[in-house]
Amino acid sequence: MYCRIMINGVVQGIGFRPFVYNIANKHEMKGFVLNRGDAGVEIQVKGNKGQIDTFINDLKDHKPALARYETFKIDYNPSNVNLARYNSFQIAPSSLTRSTEGSYIPPDLPICNKCLSEMKFDSRRIDYPFTSCVDCGPRYTVITSLPYDRPRTVMDEFPLCPDCLEEYTNPFDRRFHAQTTCCWNCGPRYYLLDKFGNIILNKRDFQHNWLDVVEIIDEGEIIAIKGIGGTHLACCTTNDDPIQKLRQWKGARGDKPFAVMSPNINRVKEFAILSPNETKLLQSLMRPIILLEKKQEFPLSSLISPALHNIGVLLPYAGIHFLLSENINDPALIMTSGNPSNIPILIDNDAIQHQLASIADYFLVHDRKIYQRADDSVMRLHMLNEFEYPLLIRRSRGYVPKPIQLPWSSPSCIALALGAEMYNVGALGIGSRCFPTQHIGHMTTIENLDFFKSTVNHMRNLFGIESLDAIGGDLHPEFFTTKLGQQLSSELDIPFFQFQHHFAHLGALALEANVDPEESIICVTLDGTGYGEDGTIWGGEILFGNYSGYERVAHLEKQTLLGGDQAVSNPYRVLLGILLSNYSLEEVTEDFLRIPWLSWIPNKPDYPIVAQQLERIITHKSLKGASMTSSCGRLLDAISVLLGAARNRTYEGEPAIKLESFAEIAIGKTSDVDLKLNSKLTTSGMIEIQTSPLIYDLWERIQRKQNRNELALLVEKAIARKFAEIALDLAEKHGVTKIGLSGGVCYNRVIFTEFYHYISKYGKSNFPIAHKKIPCGDGGIAIGQVPLILAKIL
């Protein structure tokens, strides 16, 4: 009897063919297994029915840990199979054949414990930073095309030495058909350059003198380290000088926190507090950066994450990381992306030296190409109903190209979502799955736009996509992605759909919760900026809808943004505009000067002009030079300035992020919420949450010298509760059971936990839904756009 088995899912790049080979030989099967061009696997065997069924059961019951079967098709005695010439079982040459289902390779994997052990004890691989096997090493960042074989990766430039070839062809070796396997004799090598490009350690010297790199770091130098998916700038964490130098060079970064890498959990515990779940995630195959709470006695430099209660931490995932982090004096290394602000992380050796020459003292680079760059992923955990709930902030290395399931399937329909502008990713809708790209970044430069295009083209190549059926993007008319969508629509003669920003957040949240296409939800969307259908800036919204459409049913009171982006960078302008609606300029200025943490405001050079313009706007109701916003992010920024948690915005979300840390001090020290927000019905029938009275209330409490940390905590809880209260009322009105929160404000721990606590406590038949696999912020916009596109064309 003949049998053909077609398997799709995650079955390439994980040692699956060697697994099948050994199972087949165990059952004395004859035939072959091969990789297909769609990342799937085809197996053909001959034997009696009992043999074949037992073989199939073993394939299902004992599959490798990383394998995932999405389709498993069995065809007994297919008409076009002839195995007469097979007297044994073989791994056959790969086929370029593709099917409509398609599979996908796994993400890059961290080096495994067996390979780490070999780096210490195996003479051929002692200290070799590129050690890998079928269970570990890069995948997505090295593959050039499918099927996944060494000639279709960047490893094709490194022919196997006799010893590695013997392992590669030995069915009983864990490097049997391990495509990235290599050693000191045949694989890539590191070399060290100084800032002028002079070779300090050549490829041969590095093998025996790599500890010189450790000395350089311990001495306070900054070193650019090319890794798996890009380049990091690294330095010690207890010396302020290199950290300050990094901040000055990064420019637009301002006070934005740096991530640090520790060799193991014990060293992390020297400076951070972590739970069992945080420990588990740090050690997971994704190896993300996790935001951890700082210890009260924090031994690292305060310049790493200024004025924040937490710090981003990750564990090593590449051999070079272990070599360096295990031998430095400090408990951690700063590991920040090696690129100027708003430029893709660098991967080319010449570009690394050229663009980082003004900051790096040394360059540790290697001679293996990085085919696809991939930044580190970022997560944090919140409490949700007494459980720690993981939220993705950045979905990139360790996750991509893993797909997200769509609520319906149309194998013939291919959709491309372009996302928005900030923290952007792209996404492809293929059949029943959405494939997000890795993190791209801010779509404000030609370099990032080119990175976006090349990444989308690479994914199209991997999945064999020759044509697109539709494109989706943001409603904002000036975004790079909007212009790209219009260009592609014209060139390809396919529709380009533009979706309101927060509608895409609703799409992402509904997709996260596996909501049926026709089912509606209540989505509270809280963030900084989203271009509204009325031409104003939204960001504090409650939407009722599904993939086919939405209704804006509630929002925050609109406030004045004087100077647009200038008001975003200088949030005191928003605060001043609110105060001048209730107090005279003389009163406000006098109080500003009297309150120590606000006295800097009237001394700003632009203060008199800004104050006069705001008075004119308020008196004459003229918005010349200004716009209106219902943004929760801008509200939190203004409150942060008012309470003295922040002054200006030197990085995205800074005032609101510092407000959260400011409020953390008061946790456990305050009574129940005694700040309240009121709401009213507008003439259009929408609910408007009044924020000006909240600011006036805080202003009066400051005059009474109420503790500012307590006020920060109280105001975050009040905002969360008001949105939850209205969401429950609207859910009852519209007969909706699913309620959730989306947008960048989700990352605020107090607002997130208070919102879901209220929904869980007071919702009678309501089911709270929350992000987990999809980022809450703008990194989830493209993912949310995919089902919205499909709802238009299916």
Side-chain angles (χ1 to χ4, degrees):
M1 174 180 285
Y2 291 164
C3 180
R4 177 194 286 125
I5 304 164
M6 307 288 285
I7 307 175
N8 281 295
V10 182
V11 287
Q12 288 191 23
I14 58 167
F16 190 77
R17 286 177 299 174
F19 157 72
V20 175
Y21 178 92
N22 287 313
I23 293 291
N25 279 302
K26 170 186 170 184
H27 294 289
E28 300 180 346
M29 307 297 296
K30 296 177 177 62
F32 64 85
V33 59
L34 58 78
N35 279 345
R36 292 165 52 90
D38 57 4
V41 161
E42 178 176 347
I43 305 167
Q44 292 188 19
V45 292
K46 60 181 178 179
N48 61 53
K49 183 71 163 54
Q51 268 183 307
I52 292 174
D53 287 345
T54 305
F55 169 68
I56 290 172
N57 288 336
D58 274 1
L59 290 179
K60 291 180 176 180
D61 296 341
H62 303 291
K63 66 179 184 292
L66 296 175
R68 179 179 174 183
Y69 299 160
E70 295 195 354
T71 61
F72 195 106
K73 295 183 178 179
I74 305 167
D75 188 2
Y76 292 103
N77 287 326
S79 58
N80 57 345
V81 168
N82 186 353
L83 299 174
R85 65 187 180 89
Y86 285 91
N87 297 314
S88 63
F89 194 86
Q90 303 173 15
I91 294 181
S94 296
S95 163
L96 298 180
T97 306
R98 294 177 179 270
S99 68
T100 55
E101 285 99 349
S103 294
Y104 51 96
I105 59 169
D108 292 345
L109 301 169
I111 186 170
C112 67
N113 290 331
K114 290 179 180 178
C115 285
L116 278 175
S117 177
E118 287 176 334
M119 284 180 63
K120 296 178 180 178
F121 303 111
D122 183 340
S123 60
R124 217 170 82 249
R125 292 190 172 89
I126 283 181
D127 299 334
Y128 184 57
F130 296 94
T131 301
S132 67
C133 67
V134 293
D135 296 323
C136 68
R139 299 292 191 272
Y140 179 71
T141 53
V142 299
I143 189 170
T144 59
S145 63
L146 289 172
Y148 180 64
D149 292 305
R150 194 179 182 95
R152 296 182 183 88
T153 73
V154 297
M155 293 300 294
D156 66 337
E157 297 181 4
F158 302 95
L160 293 168
C161 67
D163 290 330
C164 285
L165 183 60
E166 182 180 348
E167 294 169 339
Y168 184 85
T169 55
N170 180 358
F172 304 103
D173 194 287
R174 79 176 197 284
R175 291 192 170 89
F176 184 39
H177 280 260
Q179 307 305 334
T180 58
T181 188
C182 53
C183 70
W184 281 115
N185 298 326
C186 62
R189 285 178 175 256
Y190 272 98
Y191 54 101
L192 181 69
L193 307 170
D194 67 15
K195 66 188 307 175
F196 305 106
N198 300 313
I199 295 177
I200 306 302
L201 293 175
N202 63 32
K203 295 178 184 180
R204 292 293 170 188
D205 292 339
F206 181 82
Q207 180 175 357
H208 305 291
N209 298 287
W210 61 267
L211 281 169
D212 291 357
V213 180
V214 174
E215 290 183 20
I216 287 170
I217 295 170
D218 285 338
E219 289 170 0
E221 307 285 13
I222 296 173
I223 184 167
I225 303 172
K226 182 181 176 183
I228 299 294
T231 303
H232 288 98
L233 287 168
C235 67
C236 57
T237 50
T238 56
N239 184 341
D240 287 351
D241 292 340
I243 303 172
Q244 187 61 51
K245 184 180 174 184
L246 270 177
R247 290 211 170 279
Q248 291 170 352
W249 179 81
K250 279 278 190 176
R253 188 181 186 95
D255 279 350
K256 189 175 181 179
F258 292 122
V260 303
M261 176 181 284
S262 283
N264 52 56
I265 293 298
N266 286 335
R267 297 234 71 181
V268 174
K269 290 179 179 178
E270 294 179 29
F271 59 88
I273 300 168
L274 65 168
S275 68
N277 286 331
E278 287 168 333
T279 300
K280 185 178 179 180
L281 277 172
L282 277 173
Q283 296 173 326
S284 69
L285 293 177
M286 292 82 74
R287 284 291 199 280
I289 296 170
I290 305 288
L291 297 190
L292 300 177
E293 186 177 348
K294 294 177 181 175
K295 292 184 75 170
Q296 191 165 3
E297 296 295 325
F298 186 66
L300 308 185
S301 170
S302 61
L303 296 177
I304 295 173
S305 55
L308 300 182
H309 69 288
N310 51 23
I311 181 172
V313 181
L314 77 163
L315 294 183
Y317 52 88
I320 193 67
H321 298 155
F322 280 95
L323 288 178
L324 299 181
S325 64
E326 286 182 343
N327 288 280
I328 59 169
N329 292 328
D330 287 357
L333 269 173
I334 280 184
M335 291 288 273
T336 189
S337 57
N339 55 286
S341 295
N342 297 327
I343 300 295
I345 190 170
L346 299 173
I347 57 175
D348 176 75
N349 289 355
D350 290 340
I352 291 167
Q353 294 174 62
H354 175 71
Q355 296 201 39
L356 302 182
S358 59
I359 180 61
D361 300 302
Y362 293 90
F363 300 92
L364 183 60
V365 294
H366 57 74
D367 55 0
R368 183 172 73 187
K369 292 177 184 176
I370 297 173
Y371 196 74
Q372 276 293 306
R373 50 172 61 87
D375 284 272
D376 298 319
S377 297
V378 185
M379 299 182 73
R380 75 176 301 185
L381 275 71
H382 288 330
M383 291 300 296
L384 181 57
N385 297 331
E386 300 183 0
F387 294 99
E388 284 185 310
Y389 193 86
L391 292 178
L392 269 169
I393 298 173
R394 186 165 72 199
R395 186 185 188 274
S396 197
R397 179 197 50 76
Y399 290 89
V400 176
K402 184 178 180 181
I404 293 164
Q405 198 68 24
L406 292 170
W408 57 78
S409 175
S410 177
S412 61
C413 182
I414 308 294
L416 169 62
L418 303 177
E421 183 175 71
M422 310 298 283
Y423 304 103
N424 205 38
V425 305
L428 284 165
I430 307 172
S432 61
R433 293 176 295 192
C434 170
F435 289 90
T437 69
Q438 66 269 42
H439 170 75
I440 303 294
H442 296 352
M443 299 287 285
T444 54
T445 61
I446 296 298
E447 292 85 353
N448 271 353
L449 183 61
D450 288 343
F451 173 30
F452 180 91
K453 290 177 181 178
S454 70
T455 299
V456 169
N457 287 337
H458 177 60
M459 294 194 84
R460 288 182 63 178
N461 175 52
L462 286 182
F463 299 119
I465 297 171
E466 296 181 0
S467 62
L468 300 170
D469 295 294
I471 305 169
D474 196 86
L475 188 63
H476 199 295
E478 298 302 322
F479 281 176
F480 273 29
T481 48
T482 301
K483 298 181 187 303
L484 175 61
Q486 292 165 344
Q487 176 190 338
L488 291 174
S489 174
S490 176
E491 291 175 356
L492 304 175
D493 193 26
I494 57 176
F496 172 49
F497 301 107
Q498 291 181 259
F499 302 105
Q500 200 282 323
H501 189 84
H502 302 98
F503 182 29
H505 274 303
L506 182 152
L509 183 64
L511 193 59
E512 182 81 71
N514 197 29
V515 173
D516 291 335
E518 303 303 320
E519 184 180 2
S520 293
I521 66 170
I522 294 291
C523 178
V524 178
T525 55
L526 308 180
D527 62 5
T529 300
Y531 188 79
E533 292 189 1
D534 59 0
T536 66
I537 306 302
W538 296 3
E541 318 301 317
I542 302 182
L543 306 183
F544 159 64
N546 55 33
Y547 301 122
S548 299
Y550 76 97
E551 180 185 352
R552 187 189 189 201
V553 288
H555 60 80
L556 288 175
E557 176 187 356
K558 295 175 183 176
Q559 301 295 353
T560 305
L561 275 181
L562 180 62
D565 288 344
Q566 281 294 315
V568 175
S569 298
N570 298 276
Y572 89 88
R573 293 186 176 200
V574 180
L575 171 63
L576 185 58
I578 298 172
L579 291 175
L580 290 178
S581 298
N582 197 58
Y583 305 94
S584 70
L585 177 58
E586 292 74 19
E587 287 178 296
V588 172
T589 303
E590 183 180 330
D591 283 337
F592 275 162
L593 290 169
R594 184 173 52 80
I595 299 171
W597 62 89
L598 297 175
S599 60
W600 59 273
I601 296 178
N603 294 320
K604 286 183 67 70
D606 63 349
Y607 180 79
I609 298 173
V610 169
Q612 290 170 14
Q613 289 178 311
L614 284 168
E615 274 197 313
R616 174 182 53 78
I617 289 169
I618 292 164
T619 304
H620 301 290
K621 301 187 184 302
S622 168
L623 284 175
K624 185 178 180 181
S627 56
M628 301 300 289
T629 182
S630 57
S631 164
C632 186
R634 300 292 80 82
L635 173 67
L636 293 172
D637 289 352
I639 293 170
S640 186
V641 171
L642 176 60
L643 296 179
R647 292 189 177 188
N648 301 319
R649 191 196 75 159
T650 65
Y651 62 88
E652 180 71 19
E654 177 185 2
I657 290 169
K658 287 185 173 178
L659 180 67
E660 179 189 354
S661 290
F662 200 70
E664 286 283 331
I665 298 170
I667 289 180
K669 300 178 183 178
T670 60
S671 58
D672 198 15
V673 174
D674 62 346
L675 274 174
K676 295 188 183 300
L677 284 90
N678 296 318
S679 58
K680 68 175 186 180
L681 274 179
T682 65
T683 54
S684 61
M686 274 187 282
I687 298 171
E688 183 178 89
I689 301 170
Q690 301 295 289
T691 52
S692 293
L694 174 69
I695 298 294
Y696 308 151
D697 190 3
L698 288 172
W699 184 248
E700 298 295 336
R701 288 168 184 255
I702 287 171
Q703 315 294 328
R704 299 197 300 268
K705 302 188 184 317
Q706 187 166 343
N707 183 279
R708 288 180 289 143
N709 302 105
E710 291 184 6
L711 289 176
L713 181 61
L714 292 174
V715 77
E716 289 179 346
K717 287 188 173 185
I719 290 169
R721 286 193 177 190
K722 189 62 180 179
F723 272 105
E725 174 189 317
I726 294 174
L728 284 174
D729 290 342
L730 289 168
E732 185 174 354
K733 174 184 175 182
H734 292 283
V736 170
T737 59
K738 293 183 173 67
I739 302 173
L741 184 64
S742 191
V745 174
C746 282
Y747 300 125
N748 181 298
R749 183 165 68 178
V750 172
I751 291 176
F752 181 92
T753 54
E754 191 69 20
F755 176 87
Y756 281 104
H757 173 75
Y758 193 96
I759 296 293
S760 299
K761 183 176 181 180
Y762 296 103
K764 297 174 183 176
S765 58
N766 303 104
F767 181 73
I769 55 177
H771 284 278
K772 188 173 184 180
K773 297 175 292 187
I774 301 171
C776 310
D778 283 7
I781 289 292
I783 303 171
Q785 287 170 350
V786 169
L788 307 188
I789 300 169
L790 295 178
K792 288 279 190 182
I793 61 178
L794 290 181

